[in-house]
Structure formats: structure tokens, C-alpha cells
Amino acid sequence: MEKEMDFSKVNAIFQAFHFDANVSPVNLDLPIIFQRRYDFANLVVAEQEFLLMAEKRSGSLDNFVKQAQAVQRQIHQNVILVFRQLADDDKKKLLQARLSYLDYQENAYLPQLGFLYSKISDTKKIEKELTPTEQRILIILLLFVSDLVIDIDKISQLSGLAVPSLYRIFKSYKERGWLTNQRKSYQLAKTKVDLFNEAKILLKNPITEVVIISDEDFQRLKADLDFKISHVEALSYLGMLANTESYGQYTLSKKQFKKVEKTIKQPIFQGHRIEIWTYEPIVFDYNSDTWMQVGVESNCNMVDPISLYLTLKDNDDPRIMEEVEELKEKIYMILGEKYAG
């Protein structure tokens, strides 16, 4: 769910630091995608004026920083990034980049005011990263589990993993607080929306590399390999974005690609774009009642929507950014939440 910037908390932070501050709404002439993704406010403190910028939905820190720098260049005003809570590693990254920030826990770096304050974190260290297989199984659970109880045989069929392997993965999910179990039956420990929001920071872009292959090689290989449509071509089927490329955009798993890599002519500078993923692309049916209800109906053999989102969410092309935002809305809707637009 989207959250607006809390002006009272921002004011309270400056009061705690003995600054007189005034926070007020602001109207900016920025592309609509910025208005949809971010919350802005004007800050006057110590006779200086700043633009406060907060994410409405949490995403990657690198992308937030990149977009904040773009806004700063456009409006010619110092930007302060606002967070609900910053991890210690993220504070270090922002300090190294010399970017002004504050969070609701009273951590702040405001070089224009000669101010730095950082509380000692007593929170747990960020959870260890998911393996590619753990990420793939989590996406399958989010997209295919229709109620709280998990049909492990169905997940085994969808994932191609043996049941004992799934039990090992489910045990790791239970340790993270995502699943509960009774005897050999596993259930989701929270709603799919809450699970997605919590796990999102751990979900990585599955692309390891991108290669271009000739149409000759593509036609020779497509009978034996399951090329799934990806990138902007897939996004164009799910929204209003026009795909003007002459060649296709597909994905293969690292394992699939290694089998044929030596038979492909390289280098090729014009041809089909192939993303090499850390995990096997998930078989997903967009021609279902659920997707038809959110305005999508496609028989095309495409990558699943969550993985597609992960590959495109940090793209800085404004046209793609807007369509990715629409895709995210659809994901939240199918996970069970009425998206607050």
C-alpha cells in the first residue's frame, strides 16, 4: 500500500535536532511517473530551502538515488531523501555518495547544514540473500497458491523440483517467518501482499548477461529450447507500450544456454535479444480469468510478471518506467490487494 510522507514526523526530527523547520506541500512540473512513484514536499530550515523526496512504495536504493539526482538536476534545488527506516549499509552508501537523507528514526545527513547523526542500529542484520532456486519457488508460491494451505505436489509439478527439495526450501522460508507448518503441511504465514512486500528487498534481477543471436541460430534452436518472450516485448503485450524492435526479445536459463552456447555464432550485432537468467523461467498463463480482470489477455509464451518486473524496475526510460508501474499495480491486484492508485 502507498504511504504518504509524514510531515509531522519530519518536523519532529528537526525539532529533536533543535532546528526550526517548516514543511509544506509543493507542486512540481515533473513527468507523471515521478508524481506516481514519489512524494514531494518543500522544506525551509536555517534560511535554506530544500525539496524532500520519499518513495510511495519501497524499491531499490540505487534507482531511488538515480531518480533523485535527475530531479535535482531538473529543478536546480537540493534534494533530501526521506526514509521510514534506513539500514546501516544504506546509510554508508548514501554517505559515500554525499547524498542528503533523513529517516523517521532520527538518522540524518544534511551536509548543507553541517549535520550528521546516526543512531546505533539494534535491528537484526538484513536477511541473507535468496538463492536463485529459492527466489523462483517464492515467485511460484506468490503466483499459484490460491489459499493459505500449500499443495506441495502442485508446486513440485510447477517447479520441476522433487518434494524433498521443496521441503528443504520451505524449512528455510519458515525460518524467515514466511511459512508455518503442521506435520508435513505448510501454510503461508501472512498474506501474499505482505509476503511480497517483505521479500521484495531480497528479490534480485535474474539476468546475468544479455546476448544477441542471429535469426538463423534462433530458428535452428527454437524447436529444442523454450524461448520465453521477455523485456520490452513482453511489457508491450501487458500494457500500452509499443514495441518497435524488428527482432524478438527472449530469455533462457543459464543452464539451457550453456548447452548450446558453443553452437551459436558470435559476435552478432543485429539479431534476437536473449537474456540469460539465473533460474529457469516460470511457465505462466496470462490467458486466465484473473489476468483478464486486470485487462490482460495473451496466449504468448512470456516470462512471469514478477520476474519481468524485477528485470525492468530499474530501467530509467520514462516510457518503460510508466509501464513497469502499471505492471506493478497489476501484480498487487492479483496478489490480493486493491492497489491504491
Side-chain angles (χ1 to χ4, degrees), residues 176-236:
R176 294 175 186 268
W178 296 347
L179 299 183
T180 60
N181 77 307
Q182 295 177 347
R183 298 188 179 89
K184 290 190 175 183
S185 175
Y186 276 88
Q187 302 87 35
L188 297 179
K190 51 194 70 183
T191 68
K192 290 197 286 185
V193 168
D194 288 342
L195 178 52
F196 180 56
N197 282 333
E198 184 176 320
K200 200 160 48 174
I201 192 172
L202 301 173
L203 297 177
K204 304 298 181 186
N205 183 342
I207 300 174
T208 60
E209 64 175 309
V210 175
V211 298
I212 306 298
I213 70 171
S214 68
D215 185 61
E216 179 185 349
D217 279 333
F218 177 75
Q219 298 300 332
R220 174 175 59 83
L221 295 170
K222 71 177 185 179
D224 298 319
L225 295 177
D226 186 17
F227 288 98
K228 292 199 182 304
I229 298 170
S230 62
H231 198 54
V232 174
E233 185 174 353
L235 198 61
S236 69

Side-chain angles (χ1 to χ4, degrees), residues 10-25:
V10 174
N11 273 317
I13 291 166
F14 283 99
Q15 289 171 8
F17 298 147
H18 305 289
F19 284 109
D20 290 326
N22 180 46
V23 183
S24 58

